[in-house]
Amino acid sequence: MAAPSQPQPVAYNAIVIGAGIQGSFAAYHLAQRHRDVLLLEQFILPHSRGSSHGQSRITRSAYTRALYARMMPDSFRLWQRLEAEAGTSLYRRTGLVVLGPAGDTELEGCRRSLGAGEILDATVLARRFPGLRLHAGEVAVWDSTGGVLFADRALRAVQDVFRRHGGTLRDGEKVLCIEPGAVLTITTTAGVYRAPRLIIAAGAWTGALVAPLGLRLPLQPLRIDVCYWREKEPGSPGAGRAGPCFMALGLSQAPHGVYGLPALEYPGLVKVCYHHGSPADPEERDRVPPGTPHPAVALLSSFISSYLPGLEPQPAVVETCLYTNTPDEDFILDRHPKFSNIIIGAGFSGRRGHPVPTGTPELAVGVAVSPPPLPLLPTGHGFKLAPVVGKLLCELSLGEEPSHSTAPFAITRFPGVLRAAL
């Protein structure tokens, strides 16, 4: 009896694993370099299992660290280029208000990143944006470039342009095995593919994919509550669709920071979330046991009563989102230390300024542990930088000098990550 035939490998010039916003932009940049690219996604598109779904994300120039602030002009330019290529709007300019105590280190970092950032006192803020309120000793920094990225539309746009440039997108294919070599072999649930270069940008699943390649990356998937709040008076000035985006840093009422933006998902609501999540297994993301406490919701209710009095103090909708952090909250953008044709992009959800605890065993993917003693603080700030991140991953995979320094994103900054391959 003849042995069953094995699927014949299909050859590509490059393979990207993960069709979230980072992986899709990496594939997009490769395809624009006339590379024959395969983009693999384990779930059927569109889906809400990862970190790139939803209608809206904040974009801004204000950053507490110059490292990211320097990338933002390039990111704005690349978003505009994608808008032109896709023939659709991907960004609505609302401005961004950064609230915090006068003299706060993070707030001053944001102001410096804007050059001469405009300072708004309580009187000016109340006149411009009646929906926001400051308290004694607090000020606001105005970022005129801030606004809302249309997240789902942006993801579709970058994937559509990728395919228009000859790229292949295959969804519903989970990667089962990565065989390293000068030409890599990728086995999925539906086929076998070969390519001389590979980019892994699989979000919360990245740790599990690279573990058999001898890497134990300190990536922590987190589940956070995404909350939407109803206006007390629909259409009131300074709230809802007419309001700016905002961030609150260093406030005693919200020690780990809060962010908000007009909720495109739910007209008449405002999205306001707390920078605090709990460790989660990405495979169990949607299985929240009944009765699970939601401390972020109680804190946000108090914050909204104090700073956003035009909103109802109880959320109208509570959803969850999956983020992934590194211990120092900076990205990973680097070559595999042993296999230089494997490029890894991960950890795009960190909030700079409040370090995540390091050196703890709970920072390993797939390990069930109690929450760490200090909070993990996600903001998902990678989405706005995805065009630049994708370009850097593309450049690394082609052996080119990166257009921005990737030294702060090296894997080797974490000791002991390279282990014997399984």
Side-chain angles (χ1 to χ4, degrees), residues 99-104 107 120-122 134-140 249-251 307:
L99 313 173
D104 178 78
L107 193 67
L120 311 179
D121 61 21
L134 284 176
H135 298 276
E138 297 170 355
V139 296
L249 305 175
L251 301 179
Y307 286 88

Side-chain angles (χ1 to χ4, degrees), residues 51-87:
S51 305
S52 295
H53 65 283
Q55 299 300 311
S56 56
R57 294 290 190 282
I58 292 176
T59 189
R60 54 189 161 97
S61 296
Y63 258 100
T64 59
R65 290 191 70 204
L67 168 68
Y68 296 107
R70 285 193 294 267
M71 293 181 180
M72 281 309 302
D74 197 12
S75 187
F76 275 111
R77 179 183 61 82
L78 290 169
W79 279 117
Q80 290 167 355
R81 187 176 85 176
L82 178 62
E83 283 186 318
E85 291 170 328

Side-chain angles (χ1 to χ4, degrees), residues 86-97:
T88 187
S89 173
L90 301 176
Y91 161 66
R92 179 157 66 86
R93 192 170 187 155
T94 65
L96 171 83
V97 176

Side-chain angles (χ1 to χ4, degrees), residues 94-351:
T94 65
L96 171 83
V97 176
V98 188
L99 313 173
D104 178 78
T105 303
E106 286 188 284
L107 193 67
E108 284 300 302
C110 288
R111 188 184 62 79
R112 285 192 300 271
S113 72
L114 297 169
E118 183 183 2
I119 302 295
L120 311 179
D121 61 21
T123 302
V124 175
L125 183 72
R127 185 171 64 247
R128 285 201 200 174
F129 306 113
L132 287 168
R133 176 183 295 170
L134 284 176
H135 298 276
E138 297 170 355
V139 296
V141 174
W142 173 245
D143 178 356
S144 64
T145 71
V148 179
L149 287 169
F150 307 147
D152 279 347
R153 188 187 297 178
L155 186 60
R156 287 194 304 271
V158 70
Q159 291 171 355
D160 288 346
V161 175
F162 162 69
R163 283 184 287 220
R164 198 184 308 156
H165 282 87
T168 301
L169 172 56
R170 297 183 64 90
D171 61 354
E173 289 199 31
K174 185 178 179 65
V175 171
L176 302 176
C177 180
I178 300 170
E179 298 175 46
V183 177
L184 301 116
T185 301
I186 313 299
T187 303
T188 75
T189 49
V192 180
Y193 311 99
R194 305 191 75 200
R197 56 183 58 83
L198 170 68
I199 295 174
I200 300 174
W205 289 266
T206 298
L209 281 171
V210 302
L213 302 172
L215 275 185
R216 186 173 173 84
L217 295 180
L219 297 172
Q220 177 62 73
L222 304 167
R223 182 193 295 113
I224 72 159
D225 291 322
V226 180
C227 302
Y228 300 84
W229 312 77
R230 194 178 308 281
E231 299 171 77
K232 290 178 179 176
E233 298 180 17
S236 57
R241 294 183 64 88
C245 301
F246 76 87
M247 300 189 322
L249 305 175
L251 301 179
S252 58
Q253 290 88 343
H256 308 302
V258 171
Y259 68 92
L261 63 160
L264 305 181
E265 299 93 327
Y266 302 106
L269 304 187
V270 180
K271 182 192 290 188
V272 184
C273 303
Y274 185 44
H275 295 304
H276 179 73
S278 56
D281 180 342
E283 298 293 346
E284 303 288 329
R285 179 209 141 165
D286 298 319
R287 298 174 188 173
V288 182
T292 299
H294 295 271
V297 176
L299 182 145
L300 285 169
S301 293
S302 175
F303 174 87
I304 281 170
S305 295
S306 183
Y307 286 88
L308 297 159
L311 300 181
E312 297 287 352
Q314 294 301 318
V317 179
V318 178
E319 300 175 339
T320 61
C321 189
L322 195 64
Y323 285 2
T324 309
N325 275 355
T326 63
D328 62 9
E329 300 182 304
D330 282 322
F331 304 159
I332 290 173
L333 301 172
D334 201 1
R335 298 179 177 87
H336 189 293
K338 186 176 180 182
F339 308 114
S340 61
N341 59 346
I342 299 177
I343 311 301
I344 299 165
F348 299 114
S349 302
R351 171 184 180 266

Side-chain angles (χ1 to χ4, degrees), residues 222 256 276-277 279 354-358 360 362-363 370-377:
L222 304 167
H256 308 302
H276 179 73
H354 293 277
V356 178
T358 59
T360 55
E362 57 266 28
L363 290 172
S370 300
L374 293 176
L376 298 161
L377 311 173

Side-chain angles (χ1 to χ4, degrees), residues 30-62:
L30 282 166
Q32 292 200 325
R33 304 289 200 90
H34 308 291
R35 297 312 198 270
D36 186 16
V37 186
L38 171 65
L39 177 58
L40 290 169
E41 170 55 48
Q42 65 173 321
F43 301 115
I44 298 294
L45 293 170
H47 69 83
S48 60
R49 298 292 305 278
S51 305
S52 295
H53 65 283
Q55 299 300 311
S56 56
R57 294 290 190 282
I58 292 176
T59 189
R60 54 189 161 97
S61 296

